[in-house]
Amino acid sequence: MNRLRRLDAIRALVEANGGELRFPGHLLRPELQKIEYRLSRAIDTKWEVLSEKQSVLDFEKNVVVKIHDAPIGIDKLGVLSAIKDQRKMIELIDEAHAISAFTHQQKVNYICDSDESFYSPMFDFKAELESVLRNGAPGYQAVNQLSMRGQKFIFKSHHPETEHPGFGEREEEVNGEFHLNGFEKEIVNSLVISASKKASYPDAFVIEFHGELIRQNLSISIPNEPSDVLTLTPSTEKRLRKALEEYRKIGELAFSKFASDVICTVERPDRPMRTQSRMQGIGMLKERIGQPKTPREDLRNVATEKVDAIHRKMNLIKIIDIKSEIMEWKKAIDVVVSQNPGLPEKQIYETWNKILTSLSDDMAAGEPKVYEIALGRINKLYGRMLNRHSMAKIEAVYDWVGSQALKHGRNSVLDSIMQMLKKEIADIDHKSPLMSFKVAEDVLSRESVEGVVLSAVDINLGAFSRPRQAVGDNVHSKAGTRLKTGRTV
């Protein structure tokens, strides 16, 4: 749960108890100001400072109206709805366990049919639930195990957004995602409404706008970044705050510019999310192939045909996996080329096209060996290029973190981040280039690390901050924190 989702959930609890929560004002760094709340508007109660360490569940213990009593939809970012879902499922699982006469299958039916608003977008939810129940896990453990297995569920009565009518023909499916066409008007209108409500509070503005997206089952993100209706990526949130600053100067034009820079997808919580897992697909293939075509066929020939058919299907699955990895390489190469204009782009793509022409378009008739060879050539030809790019990206983050430490002083958090970055740099040549690229672009990117670093820097701004000093083994006051790798992209 990120900071804004936690704040919105606590705000919803405070308001459900008749109080209010107020956000900091105009500062560019609102997180440095104290957030305050009071549990009653009717009585002149004292404003209390909200602790940064206090979780939603801890806060719930000190109020009269609990999460399960809070009105549906009072939480804009859906945190209370998610907690209600989990608690309801825990309650149903424990009730099913308490009925000793039930078989495991009857327990599953009891849980899924007890509330007509229950829904899981995963086709194999009941099978996974039965597997968990066979272990005898109590409700809270069973819910955790379902989460670890990638299972999702909701109770529609907790989610008012499921009542949204959708966008009809404006939804276009692309690679399994439903993109919304002509969404700029919705985005700009939502931004204007959010800014007019809480124009001077950046935190409240982001929460208000994100809540409006959730209400419409919409998700926005910067191109080439993952999108999720319940979260905003750090870079998207950063652009939102910047758009608010520009809005105060130039009006709606700032929001129109923001809308033109993002992509928008539709993510209904009651839309199916997955068909079959890979192993289940193999099992279904084996089961279908295992049925004799006619009773008159020779048993030996039937057995041979079964083995050959399974072999072909297994080869097809291997080829699909390898082709998927090859496409991941293509995406990575596109990013590297776009960010490094000095690279020989024409030569890179000509070589890539030659490799692809060696692959068979008829995957069902192909052999995995051909694709394995192609993947090996790709790794050999482009691996160093990806590694150099990843090294440069992580080194740049390392330098920036080091500059913050030099500027504001060291602490254990900054030291840990520096060590993690340094270790990743040292390990790049020993890992898959594609994996190192994903780490550099996502896990340890500037956007991912920035929030943690700035929070750590804030710690050093207090009265007991430690002396400023150099950080890392390769640091001195003039050279900064550059690691001496001698690498260039």
Side-chain angles (χ1 to χ4, degrees):
M1 186 186 304
N2 64 23
R3 174 176 173 272
L4 291 186
R5 294 191 74 200
R6 168 183 161 273
L7 288 180
D8 182 60
I10 291 178
R11 172 205 58 77
L13 266 181
V14 169
E15 292 181 1
N17 281 268
E20 61 181 322
L21 181 144
R22 62 185 182 187
F23 291 88
H26 290 276
L27 288 185
L28 296 179
R29 297 282 302 282
E31 64 270 19
L32 296 183
Q33 284 192 338
K34 295 177 181 178
I35 296 174
E36 298 177 319
Y37 70 94
R38 60 181 180 182
L39 289 178
S40 175
R41 294 179 179 177
I43 306 173
D44 187 17
T45 56
K46 180 183 177 183
W47 287 94
E48 302 285 346
V49 176
L50 180 64
S51 170
E52 286 291 335
K53 297 181 180 180
Q54 193 169 28
S55 69
V56 179
L57 298 181
D58 288 337
F59 192 88
E60 181 192 26
K61 297 175 183 177
N62 302 321
V63 295
V64 176
V65 178
K66 305 299 182 182
I67 290 175
H68 59 268
D69 296 322
I72 301 298
I74 191 174
D75 57 329
K76 296 180 174 66
L77 304 189
V79 176
L80 299 194
S81 296
I83 294 174
K84 289 179 183 181
D85 286 344
Q86 289 192 345
R87 289 181 175 177
K88 180 71 173 179
M89 179 59 71
I90 290 170
E91 178 185 337
L92 289 174
I93 291 174
D94 288 338
E95 287 178 4
H97 277 319
I99 305 175
S100 57
F102 273 175
T103 65
H104 296 301
Q105 183 60 52
Q106 287 173 327
K107 289 180 181 180
V108 171
N109 294 337
Y110 174 83
I111 292 167
C112 297
D113 298 338
S114 291
D115 191 313
E116 62 181 12
S117 70
F118 168 80
Y119 177 78
S120 174
M122 322 297 280
F123 91 102
D124 54 349
F125 178 83
K126 288 188 176 182
E128 293 289 353
L129 176 59
E130 183 176 355
S131 174
V132 169
L133 294 179
R134 286 182 182 279
N135 299 328
Y140 69 94
Q141 287 185 5
V143 168
N144 288 337
Q145 290 178 22
L146 287 171
S147 176
M148 291 176 65
R149 297 184 184 199
Q151 293 297 318
K152 299 179 184 295
F153 60 86
I154 63 171
F155 292 89
K156 294 185 182 181
S157 58
H158 298 160
H159 295 262
E161 62 268 22
T162 59
E163 301 299 322
H164 191 276
F167 299 92
E169 295 180 354
R170 292 172 60 198
E171 296 182 28
E172 178 184 5
E173 185 175 3
V174 181
N175 296 328
E177 289 186 338
F178 288 85
H179 290 253
L180 183 62
N181 297 320
F183 59 84
E184 289 81 3
K185 183 177 180 181
E186 277 90 358
I187 298 298
V188 172
N189 288 345
S190 298
L191 286 166
V192 171
I193 291 171
S194 303
S196 62
K197 286 183 179 179
K198 305 284 184 181
S200 61
Y201 305 147
D203 278 348
F205 165 74
V206 175
I207 290 174
E208 196 78 31
F209 172 65
H210 191 194
E212 182 62 21
L213 291 182
I214 291 174
R215 188 186 66 80
Q216 300 181 71
N217 300 315
L218 296 179
S219 173
I220 61 167
S221 63
I222 308 302
N224 300 320
E225 281 191 350
S227 65
D228 178 6
V229 73
L230 291 180
T231 56
L232 293 174
T233 62
S235 54
T236 304
E237 183 180 330
K238 186 175 180 180
R239 292 199 186 190
L240 261 178
R241 293 179 184 274
K242 184 177 180 181
L244 178 62
E245 292 178 30
E246 294 176 351
Y247 171 73
R248 293 167 179 162
K249 301 174 184 176
I250 61 176
E252 288 188 26
L253 182 62
F255 290 158
S256 298
K257 182 178 182 300
F258 173 85
S260 66
D261 290 339
V262 299
I263 58 175
C264 184
T265 54
V266 184
E267 300 185 34
R268 290 187 63 90
D270 52 351
R271 174 175 282 158
M273 294 181 60
R274 190 171 71 197
T275 54
Q276 289 115 1
S277 68
R278 194 169 297 161
M279 292 308 297
Q280 286 167 329
I282 294 173
M284 291 173 64
L285 288 172
K286 288 182 178 179
E287 183 178 347
R288 292 189 62 184
I289 294 168
Q291 299 173 357
K293 294 181 180 178
T294 67
R296 294 170 295 181
E297 288 179 324
D298 181 77
L299 293 178
R300 180 175 296 179
N301 291 336
V302 171
T304 302
E305 289 175 5
K306 289 179 183 178
V307 173
D308 290 344
I310 292 174
H311 180 71
R312 288 194 299 271
K313 298 299 182 181
M314 293 294 289
N315 281 350
L316 179 58
I317 292 171
K318 289 180 182 178
I319 290 171
I320 291 172
D321 282 345
I322 296 173
K323 290 197 75 172
S324 176
E325 186 171 352
I326 289 174
M327 289 303 101
E328 290 294 322
W329 273 90
K330 178 60 166 58
K331 293 177 183 177
I333 291 169
D334 289 344
V335 171
V336 173
V337 170
S338 67
Q339 295 183 11
N340 299 276
L343 292 174
E345 180 177 351
K346 182 178 179 182
Q347 180 182 347
I348 288 172
Y349 285 119
E350 283 180 352
T351 304
W352 177 267
N353 291 333
K354 288 179 182 178
I355 294 175
L356 290 192
T357 56
S358 67
L359 301 179
S360 169
D361 291 331
D362 183 8
M363 293 192 300
E367 283 292 330
K369 189 66 177 177
V370 178
Y371 294 84
E372 291 170 357
I373 292 172
L375 184 59
R377 290 183 63 193
I378 290 171
N379 202 315
K380 183 176 180 180
L381 291 171
Y382 299 101
R384 289 186 179 180
M385 183 179 76
L386 258 64
N387 277 348
R388 288 194 296 268
H389 176 83
S390 302
M391 181 77 75
K393 296 281 283 192
I394 299 178
E395 281 183 349
V397 178
Y398 184 96
D399 289 346
W400 180 77
V401 176
S403 70
Q404 297 300 306
L406 288 170
K407 183 177 180 181
H408 300 290
R410 292 176 55 176
N411 62 33
S412 60
V413 176
L414 292 178
D415 287 351
S416 297
I417 295 174
M418 295 286 285
Q419 289 301 318
M420 179 170 55
L421 291 164
K422 190 174 180 180
K423 184 178 186 306
E424 189 62 36
I425 292 171
D427 291 344
I428 279 181
D429 288 332
H430 308 292
K431 291 183 177 181
S432 158
L434 191 58
M435 180 61 69
S436 295
F437 172 84
K438 291 178 180 179
V439 170
E441 289 292 325
D442 186 18
V443 181
L444 294 180
S445 67
R446 169 73 178 270
E447 290 80 10
S448 299
V449 172
E450 188 173 45
V452 180
V453 171
L454 294 180
S455 297
V457 166
D458 295 342
I459 298 173
N460 285 4
L461 297 181
F464 303 101
S465 60
R466 295 168 62 181
R468 297 179 183 178
Q469 50 188 294
V471 180
D473 298 334
N474 300 285
V475 178
H476 58 78
S477 58
K478 295 182 179 179
T481 59
R482 171 67 65 183
L483 289 178
K484 307 302 181 183
T485 61
R487 293 177 176 268
T488 56
V489 178

